[in-house]
Structure formats: structure tokens, C-alpha cells
Amino acid sequence: MEEKMNVQEQGTMEQASQAHLQNLFNSYMKSYSVKAALELGIADVIHSHGQPLTAPQLAAKIPISSSVDVSRLDRLMRLLVHTGVFAEEKSLAGEEGEEVLYGLTPVSKLMLRDSPVSMSPLVMLGVHPLFVSAWDNLAAWFRSTEGYPTAFEAKHGEPLWIKASHDPALNKLFNESMSSLSKLLMGSMVERCGEVFKGVSSLVDVGGGDGTVAGLIADAFPHIKCMLLDLPHVVASSSLQIPNVVAIGGDMFESVPPADAVLLK
């Protein structure tokens, strides 16, 4: 009896392991489903409507071909419900029976383009072909004898920030992503850890991007003279106009402007 139970347990464990591995190698479907939802503006459409929508209602409001079978959109939404991105509600639809409506969740609210805490740029950067192809090249990087410090450089021949310096679209997306991340993290830091800035009269934010972090600090602590240091192409492409914040183009590996505090993140 005990031997039979062990065989059954082993079979159950094998099935669970198979399911786990399958879930791992299919995880890219979740990432690209979120990407599709962002590109189609699904969260924004539901938010603008003010209440959940059915798949046919969504199809009428988002930029898809009129020839597309609505069931395809319905399948996408069901996957995104399963992963917690959207919520599902059911209601009676007269003689047609039950209908499914799709609404927002705390996760999809982070995908709203006009939200001050939108993570849309981070999502789009994470699934950018340049990053995905670097991950696809991971094994080749381990085999390489070229000594590249990252898989990204092994694939593309140069670091991300150099790549961005001659790719305006990538540079814009990267800066927007860093700004998004900074708003999520640094806002809480400034609000809850203000004592860290006591006695500081000047600060330089190294790799300050578009000035989001320096601006948050300058706004919360007006007595601090804030500087941001970033590569010249980043500073040149930024429309920085924040009181008490000075943008400096340079390379932190060569020199960092003197200040009471240096912020590295």
C-alpha cells in the first residue's frame, strides 16, 4: 500500500513539475499580451468609459480592424484576467443569457498612459526587441570569449546608453521608463525618509535622466541646490525646466560635480 502511494506521489510530482516548466517557457505570452493591451489602449478605453465593457464594446472602441473576429479579443482578455491584469464581471443580457464584462484592476490602472504612476514605459522597454534579443542571446554570451560585460553588449556591440545616444526613440523610451520608476520609488522615499536630507544643502543626482528625482527632492526640500549629471545626449534631449535644479552633461566615470551628497540609484 505504501509503495503504491509512493508511486502515486511521484506521478503527481512529475505532473506538477511538467506543468511548472511549461508555465515557465510560456511566460513570454503573458508579457506580450500585456504589451498588446498597452498598444491597443485597452485600459485607457475602459477607464474613459467609466465602467466595464464587453469584448464587442471594446472592439468598437480600440484601433483594430473591423474584420477581426471579436472572439480573438475575448481570448486575449481572458488571458489577461487570468494573470490579474483585468477583472471579469458577469451580468445577465436578456434573452442572450450571461455576458462577460472586463474592468480595471490595480494592475491595469498602472497601465493608464496619463496616470502619474503609469508603468507603461517600463513595460514597453522590457519587451523592446533590443532587450528581448539580448536575452535570446544569453547562451551565446556565456560561450563568447570576447569578454563582453553584459548580454546586451554581446548582442548589440555596445552598452545600452551608447545605443540610446544614436537612437532617439530608444533614448526617449529609456528616459520615460527611468522617470516612471523614479516616481514610483523616490516619491515614497522623499515622503517617508525626509530625515536623510537633513543638513544637506547641495546634491547631485548621478544618472539623473529627465530630472524627475532631482525635481522631487527640490520640490520637497527647497533649500537644497540640486544638480543632475547625465550623458550629454540625455541632457540635450531633456526639456528640463525645474526651479532649483541644474542639468549638467558629463560622464560620471570622468568627474562628478562637488556637492554635500551624491545620489546613486
Side-chain angles (χ1 to χ4, degrees):
M1 182 69 176
E2 184 177 345
E3 183 177 344
K4 184 177 180 181
M5 286 293 292
N6 288 337
V7 171
Q8 290 177 339
E9 289 175 1
Q10 184 177 356
T12 301
M13 288 180 61
E14 287 179 354
Q15 290 175 347
S17 298
Q18 291 166 1
H20 181 59
L21 182 58
Q22 188 171 5
N23 185 52
L24 288 174
F25 68 70
N26 281 329
S27 290
Y28 73 92
M29 297 181 185
K30 301 174 185 177
S31 301
Y32 280 91
S33 294
V34 173
K35 177 178 182 285
L38 270 176
E39 291 176 331
L40 294 172
I42 292 175
D44 292 294
V45 166
I46 296 173
H47 178 69
S48 297
H49 188 69
Q51 61 186 21
L53 294 167
T54 64
Q57 289 172 330
L58 272 174
K61 292 176 177 290
I62 61 177
I64 61 174
S65 170
S66 58
S67 63
V68 171
D69 187 341
V70 175
S71 66
R72 299 181 194 174
L73 179 61
D74 203 31
R75 289 198 296 273
L76 172 64
M77 294 305 295
R78 290 205 305 271
L79 173 58
L80 291 168
V81 166
H82 177 72
T83 53
V85 177
F86 291 100
E88 180 184 87
E89 298 179 15
K90 294 183 179 179
S91 65
L92 294 178
E95 296 180 358
E96 298 179 5
E98 199 173 58
E99 66 178 1
V100 177
L101 298 97
Y102 299 104
L104 299 178
T105 66
V107 174
S108 46
K109 288 177 182 177
L110 292 172
M111 295 164 59
L112 297 173
R113 296 186 187 279
D114 294 333
S115 169
V117 292
S118 175
M119 293 181 67
S120 296
L122 279 168
V123 174
M124 297 307 292
L125 184 67
V127 294
H128 193 285
L130 286 173
F131 283 86
V132 175
S133 60
W135 279 104
D136 190 50
N137 196 53
L138 198 58
W141 176 49
F142 280 109
R143 297 191 195 103
S144 173
T145 58
E146 298 295 325
Y148 289 107
T150 66
F152 187 96
E153 291 177 60
K155 177 64 179 178
H156 303 295
E158 56 189 357
L160 169 61
W161 48 89
I162 301 299
K163 192 82 172 171
S165 69
H166 48 78
D167 185 335
L170 176 62
N171 184 54
K172 181 175 183 292
L173 178 60
F174 181 76
N175 288 335
E176 288 175 349
S177 299
M178 295 303 98
S179 176
S180 173
L181 187 60
S182 296
K183 289 175 184 176
L184 290 168
L185 301 179
M186 295 304 296
S188 296
M189 176 183 167
V190 168
E191 182 179 334
R192 301 176 186 178
C193 306
E195 66 276 4
V196 172
F197 299 96
K198 284 184 178 179
V200 175
S201 60
S202 60
L203 176 146
V204 56
D205 179 11
V206 176
D210 66 354
T212 297
V213 172
L216 287 170
I217 295 172
D219 186 54
F221 309 100
H223 67 281
I224 299 179
K225 176 187 175 183
C226 293
M227 297 168 278
L228 74 85
L229 174 70
D230 215 316
L231 294 171
H233 75 270
V234 175
V235 173
S237 65
S238 172
S239 56
L240 181 69
Q241 291 183 339
I242 305 174
N244 209 28
V245 176
V246 177
I248 301 170
D251 187 339
M252 69 176 181
F253 295 111
E254 295 179 0
S255 66
V256 174
D260 292 341
V262 175
L263 180 61
L264 294 168
K265 56 191 184 301

